[in-house]
Amino acid sequence: MASRLQQAVKGAALNFQRTPAEINAAVQRLIRREQQTYDKVAAQRRPTFANTIAPLAKLENTDGGESAIISFLQNVSTDKQVRDASSEAERALLSSRMTSMMREDVYKSVQQVLENPVELARLDPEDRALAESMARQYRQNGLALSAEQRAKLKTIKQRLIELGIEFSRNTNEKDGVALFTRDELAGLPDSFFEDRETRTENGVQKFVVTTKYPDLVPVMQMAKVESTRKQMLYAEETRCPENIALLQEAVGLRLRAAQLLGYQTYAGFRLEENMAKTPDTVLEFASDLRQRMEKLAGAEIKEIETLKRADNEAAGKPYEGLFNWDYRYYSTLVKQRKHQISEEQVKPYFAVERVTRGILDLCQTILGLKFVKAADAPTWHPDVVAYEVWEADGTAFMGHIYLDLFSRAGKYGHACLNPIQAGYEKDDGTR
């Protein structure tokens, strides 16, 4: 597709195939480079944008992709040793980053750049915004606090890192599981049972259903037996009970950290750099949205209740109300009966390959890009499909995207987008 010149400037595909030993070595290398860069910045006698701000930004560009890959593997690798090494690597990288961002000597160098009117006059708006953002990040990491308060904040932040990693590990490694007979799964199509694991419970063969999306969503949408939907929702919402204590501790620590930094709430701390700026703005927006949506929701809920009342009456059961496990099922029925739309009937027309190609074609048209399958790109699993991204006319290579569309054991269980390597311009003008 591309000329020899274009191939020469094409960026290399990232390497996701790492052993635990390689992950550990990479972590040490990244931490060492980070420390060396920060030491050099702190040693500047006359801090400028070029010798202070730029090196810190370049470090994020050059090492950000490697750091992201190492942390990312805990969410996708089929090898538990690799996942564990990735989790420990993320812990080490975050701890090192936290320590760097709390260095008073580096913060002083950054501040000196902003306090130098001659230096500021040389900066364009983008560079000045970068310097101001960097200084604000240091303050948010406690550099405007006393040494005693900074020590307290560092202890809190370190514990929050550990809680976050443990919480994510539990969520990724532990799926909820429920067992059902074929009758209890009435309403599910034959395709749902193909190659599905079975277990014998009290002499009865039952199908294994997990809380991963490909299992959970069809059951909640199509299972006719209310107790089945209730049991599945319970399995989903009560998995990883050990995370409750972690979450409770994290909420308390976040509040303490925010208050140390002078904020009333953690939300106030997080929103400061966002468009909303304050929790009040967010709450006002949510309240206004809720009032507008309630007018539409009332009619929809009434429609759903009518269907459930009819089902209960036909089964000779009293109507006890509409519950969380009812919504998806009866919403699906409304679509089928009112709009004559059945997901099972249209599914054959939307095979994964066809939908993927259609979405990529749409993005090509809207964004002026071209996606080319990269058959030789190293990935983390055989299911993953990699694409090169080019300008539509083939004159410039933009990067890679990777699609990992199927669930598996040990993989992060929900839909997500993981940025790996941000685009940036090198010193020689290339990207």
Side-chain angles (χ1 to χ4, degrees):
M1 143 199 175
S3 67
R4 183 175 300 177
L5 175 61
Q6 291 162 355
Q7 291 286 357
V9 299
K10 184 178 77 172
L14 299 173
N15 178 21
F16 293 92
Q17 298 172 355
R18 310 292 181 95
T19 65
E22 289 170 337
I23 290 173
N24 294 334
V27 168
Q28 299 307 313
R29 188 167 59 249
L30 289 167
I31 291 176
R32 186 167 55 250
R33 280 205 296 261
E34 180 180 55
Q35 292 173 343
Q36 290 170 348
T37 300
Y38 276 75
D39 287 344
K40 188 174 181 179
V41 166
Q44 296 297 333
R45 293 185 177 182
R46 292 190 179 91
T48 64
F49 183 90
N51 66 27
T52 299
I53 307 299
L56 297 175
K58 287 177 181 177
L59 178 69
E60 186 174 339
N61 286 335
T62 56
D63 287 7
E66 180 79 349
S67 177
I69 289 172
I70 289 170
S71 300
F72 170 68
L73 289 172
Q74 65 187 289
N75 296 318
V76 295
S77 176
T78 56
D79 186 332
K80 190 176 187 307
Q81 290 184 325
V82 170
R83 294 199 302 271
D84 289 344
S86 174
S87 292
E88 291 306 312
E90 184 180 33
R91 186 197 309 272
L93 290 169
L94 289 175
S95 295
S96 176
R97 175 66 172 167
M98 177 193 68
T99 299
S100 295
M101 291 300 295
M102 297 185 78
R103 285 185 58 166
E104 188 174 10
D105 51 359
V106 176
Y107 173 59
K108 287 180 178 178
S109 293
V110 172
Q111 277 296 103
Q112 286 180 47
V113 174
L114 288 170
E115 292 168 0
N116 185 339
V118 176
E119 184 66 17
L120 284 180
R122 298 192 186 115
L123 302 182
D124 62 28
E126 184 178 359
D127 288 345
R128 182 165 182 164
L130 174 61
E132 291 173 345
S133 174
M134 199 171 285
R136 185 163 51 249
Q137 288 176 27
Y138 281 106
R139 289 193 295 273
Q140 289 183 334
N141 278 279
L143 270 301
L145 302 177
S146 68
E148 182 182 356
Q149 289 177 314
R150 280 203 307 275
K152 291 180 181 178
L153 182 64
K154 185 173 183 179
T155 300
I156 291 172
K157 290 172 72 68
Q158 182 61 50
R159 179 57 180 160
L160 284 169
I161 289 171
E162 295 168 0
L163 290 171
I165 289 172
E166 189 175 351
F167 186 98
S168 296
R169 179 184 290 168
N170 290 339
T171 304
N172 289 346
E173 298 287 346
K174 300 175 183 179
D175 294 318
V177 173
L179 304 179
F180 299 105
T181 64
R182 185 68 183 253
D183 288 342
E184 289 171 331
L185 291 169
L188 275 296
D190 291 340
S191 60
F192 184 81
F193 301 93
E194 292 176 1
D195 301 320
R196 181 165 295 280
E197 179 187 354
T198 59
R199 296 181 193 172
T200 300
E201 185 179 63
N202 299 325
V204 178
Q205 187 183 58
K206 296 186 176 183
F207 292 92
V208 177
V209 184
T210 73
T211 54
K212 286 188 178 296
Y213 273 15
D215 284 5
L216 177 67
V217 173
V219 170
M220 299 309 294
Q221 287 182 332
M222 292 182 278
K224 294 180 178 181
V225 180
E226 181 176 356
S227 60
T228 298
R229 302 193 304 272
K230 180 179 180 179
Q231 186 176 341
M232 273 304 300
L233 187 65
Y234 182 82
E236 162 65 5
E237 295 192 348
T238 60
R239 68 189 180 98
C240 302
E242 60 274 29
N243 277 355
I244 295 174
L246 302 182
L247 189 59
Q248 289 173 332
E249 184 181 356
V251 169
L253 289 175
R254 282 180 168 185
L255 177 59
R256 284 176 56 194
Q259 290 176 339
L260 271 175
L261 291 166
Y263 299 87
Q264 287 188 329
T265 64
Y266 180 75
F269 164 70
R270 292 295 297 174
L271 288 168
E272 185 180 49
E273 290 192 52
N274 293 6
M275 183 173 66
K277 299 299 182 189
T278 68
D280 286 344
T281 302
V282 175
L283 292 172
E284 288 172 9
F285 174 81
S287 176
D288 178 66
L289 184 63
R290 181 185 179 90
Q291 290 176 21
R292 295 169 186 267
M293 295 300 294
E294 279 180 343
K295 298 175 183 177
L296 299 174
E300 185 174 322
I301 291 173
K302 186 175 181 180
E303 201 168 20
I304 290 173
E305 280 186 315
T306 300
L307 289 178
K308 185 175 181 182
R309 286 180 185 278
D311 280 353
N312 284 22
E313 185 177 342
K317 297 192 303 183
Y319 177 75
E320 297 178 343
L322 196 64
F323 301 100
N324 286 349
W325 54 83
D326 293 323
Y327 180 75
R328 283 187 176 178
Y329 174 71
Y330 285 104
S331 293
T332 301
L333 283 185
V334 168
K335 285 194 293 184
Q336 291 175 350
R337 298 179 184 183
K338 184 176 180 179
H339 306 292
Q340 289 77 52
I341 297 175
S342 168
E343 292 186 11
E344 284 304 305
Q345 289 179 350
V346 301
K347 188 183 292 185
Y349 301 97
F350 291 92
V352 171
E353 296 80 6
R354 185 174 184 178
V355 172
T356 301
R357 189 66 256 173
I359 292 174
L360 292 179
D361 287 345
L362 182 63
C363 291
Q364 286 181 155
T365 301
I366 294 174
L367 303 176
L369 299 173
K370 183 158 187 165
F371 298 96
V372 181
K373 191 172 288 189
D376 58 344
T379 65
W380 55 91
H381 191 271
D383 286 346
V384 179
V385 182
Y387 290 87
E388 296 173 2
V389 185
W390 293 77
E391 289 281 11
D393 59 6
T395 57
F397 175 75
M398 306 299 290
H400 288 88
I401 61 170
Y402 301 81
L403 302 181
D404 187 0
L405 303 178
F406 304 104
S407 66
R408 58 179 176 271
K411 181 185 173 186
Y412 180 76
H414 301 281
C416 66
L417 171 66
N418 288 278
I420 301 294
Q421 174 66 68
Y424 66 96
E425 190 174 287
K426 300 178 184 177
D427 291 337
D428 61 6
T430 62
R431 291 183 60 81

